[in-house]
């Protein structure tokens, strides 16, 4: 009896556990573009186009390999509209009585498969370095689940950048050499751009017709849509950008949106690139003497450290995680997040880039859009939905720990030991945004004062009970207490006035 082998839109890997387990001569692969996945949030049109185009091309390579692939396009008249609906329809068509699947990256879909009215075997997704069991073992009994210690375990497990039992270069982490302010000039133009071929163009037309009203520009579209193209992006990054990746990891520049970042997260998360192969190539570049140790280690840590760690947290913490609201924040996310007018240059830049590219780098996400949302007390559920919608690399397993945990502190400190908040000084140090802003980053109060300067203290003051006992924040509260009372009152009054203007829908 044949089985159906489900391959989801972010499972585009030939060595996927379900494909490894299946029999080419007997089983039938099911892939489907469905409304339920395309509409559970209002995804950026570029993200939908990337997923559909990559799915279509992956299906073709499976057919070339001899698989019987039943592929449903979104506009097919027989499309059942959901993954489970499509499985049932294909079961009727083929006579298959069971489904073989690889665990989806989201509780929502895991539940749908669990309760599907057809026998379904779900295999673990071993495209990650740490299994759920390994992460649980590591987490068990620990007071705090800090990424750094998990990362060291994974270094030992993979042997990446290790010399015997010791970390290469004598240190686990070279961040002290990273995070320099922006350089005067950038000698890298960003990732390769792929002109849409006939197949990609057909997807773009479909997405324009069906999702053209979602936030974000569909064209120009230059993402890689095949493994071969994704590998070209990786090669280009390792050769041209990795050597300077560490140095300028946190920098932000008006005229250089890519800086020295890899822009490979969309491909890693779709399954077109494998995390271990990516790290091995970076390690080789360091061993060959082409890349300094701080760059190679810093890059590898993002992937085997942060990426694996946030996935571990998502599955460890359970389905309620994205709904947490540890600080009780409830302000609506302002219109500027969807391109509404703002005088704040840093936010305007981060949102414009997001709209055009479905991409912003980590510090733009964390210290500009995330920092502002946290300071104004935005509802973390809305913030979570925004991040899930607007980035091409956004899937709940990776997006929600970064947003709800790292950025909004809404998980009560599972991920972050203190909230990622800053005044304008940090943004000014790490970017050139403030130079062309209507506000003055040097002004702490007054009409032109940078809103981050006001909101920073307002946030700390209103959450004093929660954060004062945190030893890592004691100095900050001491600084606040040292300010004279009149100045403190002015800061808080002006911050409140700013929030009132925001709530009234005025341009800020
Ligand atoms: P680089 O800076 O070149 O880093 C290399 C790789 O490391 C990335 O491709 C990515 O796979 C991995 N990586 C780096 N940081 C993280 C991290 N914190 N968590 C997981 N992987 C990481 N990343 C996503 O893949 N999907 C998301 O939906 C997502 N949402 C985020 C939301 C917020 C609020 C924040 C602060 C971060 C989020 N990140 C997310 C993490 C990070 O911003 C992106 O992985 C990174 O910007 C991708 O661009 P890049 O490939 O150029 O990364
Ligand atoms: C993101 C996405 C979109 C937009 N569309 C589809 C789709 O039509 N069919 C599909 O199989 N997968 C899609 N995906 C990816 C899924 O939403 C993803 O598998 C889950 O969110 C779990 O990570
Ligand atoms: Fe952003 Fe403030 Fe700088 Fe303007 S002055 S760009 S609002 S940090």
């Amino acid at each position: 009896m044949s089985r159906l082998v489900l391959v989801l839109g972010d499972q585009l890997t030939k060595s996927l556990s379900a494909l490894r387990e299946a029999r080419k001569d007997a089983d039938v692969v099911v892939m489907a573009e469905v409304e339920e996945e395309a509409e559970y949030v209002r995804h950026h049109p570029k993200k939908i186009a990337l997923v559909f185009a990559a799915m279509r091309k992956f299906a073709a390579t499976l057919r070339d390999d001899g698989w019987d692939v039943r592929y449903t396009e979104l506009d097919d008249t027989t499309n059942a509209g959901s993954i489970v609906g499509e499985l049932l329809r294909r079961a009727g068509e083929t006579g298959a009585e069971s489904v073989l699947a690889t665990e989806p990256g989201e509780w929502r879909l895991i539940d749908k498969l669990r309760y599907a009215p057809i026998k379904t075997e779900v295999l673990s997704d071993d495209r990650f370095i740490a299994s759920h069991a390994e992460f649980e073992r590591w987490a068990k009994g620990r007071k705090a689940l800090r990424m750094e210690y998990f990362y060291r375990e994974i270094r030992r497990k993979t042997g990446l950048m290790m010399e015997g039992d010791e970390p290469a270069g004598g240190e686990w982490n070279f961040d002290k050499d990273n995070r320099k302010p922006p350089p005067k000039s950038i000698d890298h133009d960003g990732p390769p751009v792929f002109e849409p071929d006939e197949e990609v163009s057909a997807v773009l037309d479909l997405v324009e017709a069906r999702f053209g009203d979602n936030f974000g520009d569909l064209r120009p579209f230059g993402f890689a849509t095949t493994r071969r193209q994704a590998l070209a992006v990786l090669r280009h990054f390792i050769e041209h950008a990795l050597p300077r990746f560490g140095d300028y990891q946190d920098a932000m520049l008006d005229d250089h949106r890519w800086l020295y970042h890899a822009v490979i997260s969309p491909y890693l998360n779709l399954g077109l690139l494998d995390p271990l192969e990516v790290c091995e190539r970076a390690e080789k570049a360091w061993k060959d003497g082409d890349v300094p140790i701080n760059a190679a280690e810093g890059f590898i840590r993002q992937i085997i450290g942060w990426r694996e760690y946030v996935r571990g947290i998502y599955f460890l913490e359970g389905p309620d995680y994205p709904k947490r609201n540890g600080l009780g924040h409830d302000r609506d996310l302002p219109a500027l997040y969807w391109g509404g007018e703002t005088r704040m240059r840093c936010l305007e830049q981060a949102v414009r880039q997001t709209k055009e590219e479905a991409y912003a780098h980590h510090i733009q996400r964390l210290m500009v859009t995330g920092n502002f949302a946290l300071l104004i007390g935005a509802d973390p559920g809305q913030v979570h939905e925004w991040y899930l919608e607007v980035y091409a690399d956004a899937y709940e397993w990776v997006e929600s720990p970064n947003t709800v945990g790292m950025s909004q502190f809404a998980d009560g400190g599972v991920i972050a030991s203190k909230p990622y908040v800053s005044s304008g000084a940090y943004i000014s140090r790490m970017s050139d945004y403030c130079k062309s802003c209507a506000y003055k980053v040097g002004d702490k109060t007054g009409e032109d004062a940078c809103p981050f300067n006001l909101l920073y203290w307002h946030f700390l003051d209103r959450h004093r009970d929660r954060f004062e006992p945190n030893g890592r924040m004691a100095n900050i509260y001491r600084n606040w207490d040292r300010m004279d009372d009149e100045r403190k009152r002015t800061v808080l009054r002006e911050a409140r006035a700013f929030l009132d203007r925001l709530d009234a829908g005025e341009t800020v």
Side-chain angles (χ1 to χ4, degrees), residues 237-263:
F237 163 72
I238 289 183
E239 201 177 315
H240 299 286
L242 181 59
R244 325 219 43 197
F245 171 84
D247 292 350
Y248 302 117
Q249 209 174 325
D250 289 6
M252 299 177 278
L253 282 173
D254 246 357
D255 292 334
H256 293 278
R257 24 185 80 165
W258 316 106
L259 287 123
Y260 295 103
H261 289 276
V263 200

Side-chain angles (χ1 to χ4, degrees), residues 190-211:
V193 172
F194 300 91
E195 276 299 309
D197 58 17
E198 222 171 276
E199 214 170 355
V200 176
S201 298
V203 169
L204 295 183
D205 291 342
L206 168 78
V207 172
E208 183 168 37
R210 296 287 296 269
F211 308 102

Side-chain angles (χ1 to χ4, degrees), residues 161 242-247 282 285-286 289-298:
M161 311 248 351
L242 181 59
R244 325 219 43 197
F245 171 84
D247 292 350
W286 163 67
D290 298 332
V291 162
I293 194 164
N294 65 310
E297 185 281 318

